[in-house]
Structure formats: C-alpha cells, structure tokens
Amino acid sequence: MNNIKVQTKMIMVILATMAALVLCTIFSAQSMMELQSRALETMETDERDSYDEQIKQQVDNVISLCQTIYDQYQEGVYTEAEAKKLAADEIRQLRYGDSGYFWIDQYDGTNVVLLGSATEGTNRMETEDANGYQMVKEIIRVGQEPDGGYVDYVFPKEGETESSPKRSYSKAFEPFQWVIGTGNYTDYIDDRIAAVSDEFSGYVTGRLAMFIASTLIEGAVVIVLLVFIIISIVKPLKKCVASIGVMEQGDFTKSMGDKLLKRRDDFGQLAVSLESMRTEMGGLIGEVKEQANEINDMVQNIDNSIQALDEQIEDVSATTEELAAGMEETAASSEEINAMSHEIESAAKNIATRSQDGATEADAIRERAVGIKKDITQNDQRTKAIHAEINEGLTRALEEIKVVNQIGVLAESIMQITGQTNLLALNASIEAARAGEAGKGFAVVAEEIRVLAEQSKAAVAHIQDVTKNVMNAVNNLAEGTQKLLGFVGTDVVDSFATFSGMADSYSNDAGQIDGLVTDFSASSEELLASISGVMEAINEVSKAATEGASGTTDIADKTGVVAEKANDIKEKAEAARIAADKLRQNVEHFIV
C-alpha cells in the first residue's frame, strides 16, 4: 500500500464502497426472500396445524357422542344394535363448516356411515385414489393407533372429475369396533398460501425495489461525496507535490498560492508548513551563497597575502644570507685588524705628535655624542608614539593574528639581532674612531654592518606590514604579535634609553679622550695600554661577528620554518577555497 498513489487508494475506496453496497443489497434481498419463505412456511404450518386440530376435535366430539350412547347402552336404555343404529344415524346427520361430514368404517373395511350413500354396508378396504393409493386401508390402520392418525390423499370434489388434495383424521371407537373419520379438501390452504405468497412477493418486491433504489441513491451520494473528497484531496496534494518538485529543482521563488494557504484543513496546514519551509530554506540558501562568495573572496585575499608573504620571506632570506656574508667578512676584517694592531704599536710615537689633532677630534666626538643623544631622544619619543599606535591597532587584532606566531617570533629574533648588531656596529665605530686612521677600514666594515642591520630592521618592518594583511584570516599569529608588542614596548624603548646613556658616556669619554690625548704626549705606556684595550675590543668585535654569523644562520633556519608555515597556511587556504567553490556550486542551482 505504501507504493500506491492517493488517487488510486481513493478509487479503491470507492470500488470497495460500491462492492459493499452491492453485497449489502444482495444480502438484504436474500434475507428478505428467506424471510418470505420462512413466513410462508410458518403460515402454512399454522394453517395445516389448525386444520388438523379442527378435524381431530370434530372426531373427538363424535367419539364423545358415541361414548354417551354406549354408556346408555351399558345402562340398558338401548340394546347394542339400537345403540349402534342410533349412533350411526346421529353421525350421518352431523355437519361442520361448509362441507364437513363424518364416516364410519369397521375394522374389516365395511362402511357403516358415508352420507347415506350406496357405499354404506359395503367393504371398501381396497378403495384407491386417483394415484392408486389405498387410502381407506391407511385410514383404518392409523385410526386404530392410540391417538389416531392423519392420511393425505386425493379425491374429486362433488361434481368434479379432477382430484383435489384431501386430508383426513380417523380414530377408533373400540366398543363398537368402529373407525370414525372425517376430512376435507386442503386446496383452500394451498390457495390461501399462494395468495399470501403473492401478497408477500409483491410486498417484498416493492420493499426490495425501494431498498435497491435507496441503496443506489445512497451509493450515488456516497460516490459523489467520495469523488468530491478525492478531488479535494488529490488536487491540493498535486499542488503540494508540484511545489515540492519545484523546490526539488532548486527554485524557491514560487509561492504555494493564497488559495491553498487559506485552506483550514490538513492540506492548508501542509501548505503553510511548506511555504514556511520554502521561505526559510530560500533565506538560508541565500545566506549560504553570500557566505560562500565571502569565503571565496577571503580565501583569495589570504592567498594573495600568503604570496606576498612568501616574497617577503624570500627577501628576508636573501638579506639574511647577505648579512651572514657580511658577518664573515667582519670576522676576516677583525683578524686583519688584529694583525695591523702590531703596526699600530710601532706608530705609537706618531700618536704623541698628533695628540693635538686628537684633542680636536675629541671635541668633535663630544659634539656628535650630544647630537646622537638628541636624535636618540627624538627617536625614543617617536618610537613610544609609534608603539602606542601599534599597541592600539594590534590589541584590536590580537584575536585575529594567532596564525602569525612564528613570524612574530622571527621578527622579534631579527629585531633583537638587529639591535645587537646595530649596537655592535656603533661600538665598533666608536672603537674605530678611537683607533684613528688605523681604524678607518674597520669603521667602513662597522658601517656596512650597521647598514645591514638597518636593512634587516626595514625587512622586519615590511614583514610586519605583510603580517597585518594576513591577520584577518590567520588567528594563530596572536602570540607572536603580543611578543612583538612586548619587544617594541620594552626592548626597543630600553635600547633607546641605553643609547641615551651611551651618548652621555660617549660625551664623557670624549672629555676623557681629550685628557688622554694630552697625556699621550707624556706617557707612551698609557698609549700602549690603550692599544691593548683596542686589541681586546677587536677580539670582542671578532667574537660578536662570529655570534652574528651564527644568529643570521638561526634567522635563516627560522625563515625556512616560517616559509613552511606559510606554505601550510597556503595549502589550507587553497583547501578552504576549494570547499567554498564546492559549496557555491552546490547552492548555485538554487533560485531564491
């Protein structure tokens, strides 16, 4: 039944209803016919029983008459012959009904009374009816039974030649050895039953016709009602199915129709539910389309940002390699300076003669130290302002930049190494300045290191700018950003404070150098001690250069890690783009 359509099911209901009405009609007709038959049988039985009771009662009355006469005979009023003759005469004259009479036969078949006809006195034991039935013999036989008996036979009526059915009752009167009987034609019973049967048949036929007509009318009404119900069910059902089919094709723009939505039956509720589902599904699919487009655009932006980040990482890697090469050159230069320091010792005497120039240069150094302090102060203020702006901007983005943790860590490492390298370059420049002409080559190397440090710093700033473009989509860089803020807020500011202190120190050192230059002319031992200090500083520079080379190698390694992470992000972004495309394709055929 689950695979049968509703329309077919309703047609089956109509057919079943019609079949039930037909069966009910047939059953009712058979019941009425059976009722008619049973009623006729009952009526016939009652008629015949009444007839039997009547003739039996009549015979009993005659036997009572005979018994009375026999009692008088017993009393001596009559002789036996007189009593028999009196009883026969009395019985011969008795009548009942229209044509009822009595007859008397002896046990041997000799007739005693029969309407005074010539048959009286004759033996009619072998008398037969038209069918050859010896009815007299049977009448005498059953009459001798204790309660008497009935005999059916046929016999022509008076004045007729055709036999008619007749039924008799006979009973013996033992004192006279008589069998007294009576009977009558029973065709009137058949006629009466036939008449009643015709009457019943007419009545049953009329009632049956009325019942069939009412059944047909009722069936027609039921069929019309069922057809109307089928139409009221199938038509809205087809509309609902058609609307569902339209939605199945992806079109959510077509409404169910006001006529169907205004219905108050189950289909109206179904239509309202489908309309609500259509509206909600249309809105949902529309939002999915918009979100799919936004995801696709976001993934495209992430892909562009990752590509830009890859390019910047390649630039950082190249810069790191250049920095490592510079560090190696610095280490080589420091060795050369160490060798040249021995030549400086031989030129110690020339230092005394040029001490005045040294004093002048010391004044210039002091002035430059004051300028450096001023610049450092300004840079410190500007750095703090920039730090405040960065802190405000990055605080809003902390929840969105967790993806760039590794880049932040790398940026912090680069900034630390850049600060250390810049500080080292500054110290090397100062020491080269102290060395004078002999330290000019080393000063050039220190300047190159400082330039590389500034380039590294600029590259880190560029990496940070690229990182900001990725922050909206990569949430894992938040921790690195926090560290970057800490780095800018603490290390950089502290470095500026250190630089300021160093500028003051340089100013003080310049004063001391002025005194030392004056003393150089008087004591070469102090000059030699200063040369020893220069050599130690050169060793420190060589050590720092070696550490810088190691640090740049570490930067290169971390850059590789960042590149791998960027590739992972790019792969995930590509997977997200593919998923967004699939989602857009899946909802593209929906019309909302």
Side-chain angles (χ1 to χ4, degrees), residues 37-55 150 167 186 188-190 192-193 196 200:
S37 177
R38 290 184 179 180
L40 292 174
E41 289 178 358
T42 302
M43 182 179 179
E44 183 177 3
T45 300
D46 292 341
E47 287 289 336
R48 296 190 183 281
D49 289 344
S50 175
Y51 170 79
D52 290 346
E53 184 65 27
Q54 181 184 7
I55 61 177
Y150 298 92
R167 182 175 177 82
T186 59
Y188 77 95
I189 296 176
D190 295 334
R192 184 180 299 177
I193 296 301
V196 173
F200 275 13

Side-chain angles (χ1 to χ4, degrees), residues 53-229:
E53 184 65 27
Q54 181 184 7
I55 61 177
K56 180 177 182 299
Q57 185 177 3
Q58 293 297 331
V59 171
D60 289 339
N61 292 335
V62 172
I63 290 176
S64 298
L65 175 62
C66 293
Q67 185 65 42
T68 301
I69 296 174
Y70 179 74
D71 291 339
Q72 291 177 353
Y73 159 68
Q74 291 288 334
E75 293 174 358
V77 177
Y78 304 108
T79 63
E80 181 179 3
E82 291 176 344
K84 288 182 178 181
K85 182 176 185 306
L86 177 62
D89 293 338
E90 290 290 335
I91 293 172
R92 188 178 292 110
Q93 301 300 323
L94 291 178
R95 299 288 185 275
Y96 62 92
D98 294 336
S99 59
Y101 64 95
F102 301 92
W103 65 80
I104 299 173
D105 292 301
Q106 295 180 356
Y107 289 171
D108 59 1
T110 301
N111 181 256
V112 177
V113 174
L114 185 60
L115 297 175
S117 65
T119 305
E120 293 181 358
T122 63
N123 191 304
R124 57 174 193 158
M125 180 67 76
E126 303 298 328
T127 303
E128 297 179 351
D129 64 2
N131 297 326
Y133 179 65
Q134 295 178 345
M135 72 282 194
V136 176
K137 183 183 291 185
E138 185 66 17
I139 290 171
I140 294 173
R141 185 188 67 79
V142 299
Q144 295 180 44
E145 292 180 355
D147 293 328
Y150 298 92
V151 177
D152 293 313
Y153 56 98
V154 294
F155 200 81
K157 292 182 179 179
E158 186 177 0
E160 295 181 0
T161 59
E162 186 176 354
S163 298
S164 299
K166 197 172 184 179
R167 182 175 177 82
S168 67
Y169 175 77
S170 59
K171 187 175 184 182
F173 183 68
E174 188 67 28
F176 290 162
Q177 298 291 303
W178 287 352
V179 175
I180 303 171
T182 186
N184 210 333
Y185 294 97
T186 59
D187 54 348
Y188 77 95
I189 296 176
D190 295 334
D191 294 339
R192 184 180 299 177
I193 296 301
V196 173
S197 177
D198 293 339
E199 183 179 356
F200 275 13
S201 296
Y203 176 81
V204 170
T205 302
R207 289 295 179 180
L208 187 59
M210 184 182 298
F211 178 76
I212 293 174
S214 63
T215 302
L216 291 176
I217 294 173
E218 181 181 359
V221 172
V222 170
I223 290 173
V224 171
L225 181 61
L226 287 176
V227 170
F228 177 75
I229 292 174

Side-chain angles (χ1 to χ4, degrees), residues 309-319 559:
L309 179 61
D310 287 339
E311 294 176 357
Q312 295 300 324
I313 290 173
E314 290 177 357
D315 293 340
V316 171
S317 179
T319 303
T559 302

Side-chain angles (χ1 to χ4, degrees), residues 391-564:
N391 185 38
E392 181 180 0
L394 293 181
T395 299
R396 291 193 302 267
L398 277 177
E399 295 302 324
E400 301 177 358
I401 61 172
K402 294 181 179 180
V403 176
V404 294
N405 285 334
Q406 296 297 328
I407 297 176
V409 174
L410 176 60
E412 182 180 359
S413 300
I414 294 173
M415 289 295 289
Q416 291 176 355
I417 294 172
T418 301
Q420 293 176 1
T421 305
N422 198 5
L423 180 60
L424 178 62
L426 184 59
N427 289 331
S429 296
I430 294 171
E431 294 300 330
R434 288 180 180 178
E437 291 293 329
K440 287 184 177 180
F442 185 74
V444 173
V445 175
E447 181 64 18
E448 290 296 327
I449 293 174
R450 188 186 66 78
V451 171
L452 290 175
E454 291 296 328
Q455 291 178 352
S456 298
K457 184 176 181 181
V460 171
H462 188 62
I463 290 173
Q464 291 176 343
D465 292 336
V466 174
T467 303
K468 289 180 181 179
N469 293 328
V470 184
M471 286 179 183
N472 292 329
V474 286
N475 295 325
N476 293 327
L477 295 178
E479 183 177 357
T481 303
Q482 187 65 38
K483 290 183 179 180
L484 179 61
L485 285 174
F487 173 75
V488 174
T490 56
D491 293 352
V492 174
V493 174
D494 293 339
S495 296
F496 277 114
T498 304
F499 293 158
S500 179
M502 290 176 63
D504 292 334
S505 177
Y506 293 158
S507 179
N508 294 331
D509 290 342
Q512 292 177 3
I513 290 172
D514 185 55
L516 287 173
V517 169
T518 303
D519 293 337
F520 282 162
S521 60
S523 178
S524 60
E525 292 295 332
E526 294 181 359
L527 180 58
L528 292 174
S530 297
I531 291 172
S532 298
V534 170
M535 293 181 68
E536 291 178 358
I538 290 171
N539 290 329
E540 291 295 330
V541 170
S542 178
K543 182 178 179 181
T546 303
E547 292 177 352
S550 177
T552 54
T553 302
D554 187 41
I555 290 173
D557 294 337
K558 291 184 178 179
T559 302
V561 174
V562 171
E564 292 178 358

